[in-house]
Amino acid sequence: MTLSISALCPESGQLGIAISSSSIAVGARCPWLLAGVGAVSSQNITLPALGPQILAGLEAGLTPQQALTQALGEDRFSDYRQVAVIDASGESAVFSGEHTLGIGRVAQGENCVAAGNMLASPQVITAMTTAFEAATGELASRLIAALQAGIDAGGEAGPEHSAALKVVEDYAWPVVDLRVDWAEDRPVAALEALWLAYEPQMEAYITRALDPRDDQTVCVTLGARGAVAVTGSKARLVEGRAVTAVDTTGAGDCFVGALAARLSQGAPIADAIGYANIAASISVQRMGAGPSMPTAEEVGALL
């Protein structure tokens, strides 16, 4: 029926859930999140009310296990539920009732928790937590990578037909809320395509919402430390690559050119800065301005 991964990004404070199911519109019933509080995936024979109830418990100061136990104690059919919870500190709790359908498994990892039922094999869920812990980049990207790892490990015993991705940050609305409510096959692949289209625009939508007058990003280079992207009141450091510099002539031009090239390809600002950092780190290891400029292949090899 369903497999999900719920997670926290300690660096950004984001909380998110990626979920897939053989049922239609899984994103309408199962993922529940509250910025700065927690994330809950209520699945199997789903009781949507468990999501808000558990989040209210977390907001009132309960631990994930306490909030989960309290909510399940008020549900006379709790043995039919499967629920995963993670709070804003990364602490998690999970429950899988005795009437969980088919092969049901849960797994808690570092800053993540995964759960599934009607699985093709018990290894599906551990594949998800392992993939999440190994992934890098935006929380949404890591969640999709983990969900896809579960699919690659066998996924559900039957075909998946819907998928959803939801992420909250410091705002009253989700910064990511993408759904594939029905697909004949490969809904997770369709969800990933949606995310790849949405990711380059995500920060701009937030900026415009907070202050339509302030829709500019300033990039400040910091030499070996990397560079900072400043959008409105929000700053993000993208760390540089440690190298031994022999000639910095042209390094700034190299950085700007690589940044512009990556942005023109639709890359998010942080990814574009990371690419430019690598290009500049190559250039400073060579003598001269023109001869020091790296090729796209050289930069790509270090991504």
Side-chain angles (χ1 to χ4, degrees):
M1 290 268 294
T2 307
L3 58 156
S4 71
I5 182 155
S6 307
L8 164 76
C9 175
E11 288 75 23
S12 67
Q14 290 181 339
L15 289 151
I17 296 176
I19 188 167
S20 179
S21 177
S22 58
S23 300
I24 191 170
V26 66
R29 301 180 305 280
C30 296
W32 299 89
L33 302 95
L34 186 59
V37 175
V40 180
S41 183
S42 174
Q43 52 197 63
N44 195 55
I45 307 299
T46 305
L47 176 61
L50 290 174
Q53 288 172 355
I54 293 169
L55 290 172
L58 294 176
E59 193 171 27
L62 299 182
T63 67
Q65 187 59 61
Q66 290 169 338
L68 177 60
T69 300
Q70 176 178 279
L72 290 173
E74 298 172 6
D75 175 19
R76 63 193 181 107
F77 298 114
S78 61
D79 285 343
Y80 291 84
R81 318 302 184 194
Q82 187 178 60
V83 187
V85 186
I86 190 166
D87 70 8
S89 71
E91 184 179 347
S92 64
V94 68
F95 173 81
S96 198
E98 64 176 311
H99 292 301
T100 297
L101 298 171
I103 297 176
R105 290 292 187 275
V106 297
Q108 292 165 277
E110 184 177 0
N111 293 315
C112 66
V113 57
N117 53 79
M118 289 288 287
L119 299 173
S121 77
Q123 288 73 42
V124 170
I125 296 306
T126 53
M128 293 171 68
T129 55
T130 299
F132 179 82
E133 292 171 347
T136 58
E138 293 279 353
L139 177 62
S141 298
R142 298 171 66 192
L143 287 167
I144 289 181
L147 188 59
Q148 185 60 57
I151 300 298
D152 293 342
E156 291 188 46
E160 290 87 9
H161 289 301
S162 68
L165 174 68
K166 199 165 187 176
V167 176
V168 295
E169 196 172 335
D170 297 328
Y171 316 105
W173 67 92
V175 294
V176 181
D177 191 359
L178 304 176
R179 286 167 42 178
V180 177
D181 282 346
W182 183 261
E184 288 299 329
D185 62 1
R186 303 185 67 211
V188 176
L191 182 67
E192 181 178 21
L194 274 177
W195 163 241
L196 291 175
Y198 185 75
E199 181 184 13
Q201 306 175 64
M202 181 176 69
E203 289 294 340
Y205 282 128
I206 295 171
T207 300
R208 293 170 193 163
L210 297 175
D211 188 344
R213 301 166 301 174
D214 191 8
D215 192 19
Q216 302 292 321
T217 296
V218 176
C219 181
V220 181
T221 57
L222 303 174
R225 291 180 56 200
V228 172
V230 182
T231 305
S233 61
K234 198 170 183 181
R236 179 173 182 178
L237 172 66
V238 181
E239 293 184 356
R241 176 170 167 260
V243 297
T244 300
V246 297
D247 186 356
T248 60
T249 304
D253 292 337
C254 179
F255 180 94
V256 171
L259 178 68
R262 200 65 166 173
L263 288 173
S264 71
Q265 296 167 355
I269 184 66
D271 288 356
I273 291 175
Y275 184 89
N277 280 342
I278 291 173
S281 75
I282 296 172
S283 75
V284 299
Q285 296 177 80
R286 300 170 178 173
M287 296 298 296
S292 71
M293 298 297 164
T295 64
E297 289 76 15
E298 289 175 312
V299 179
L302 294 173
L303 284 176

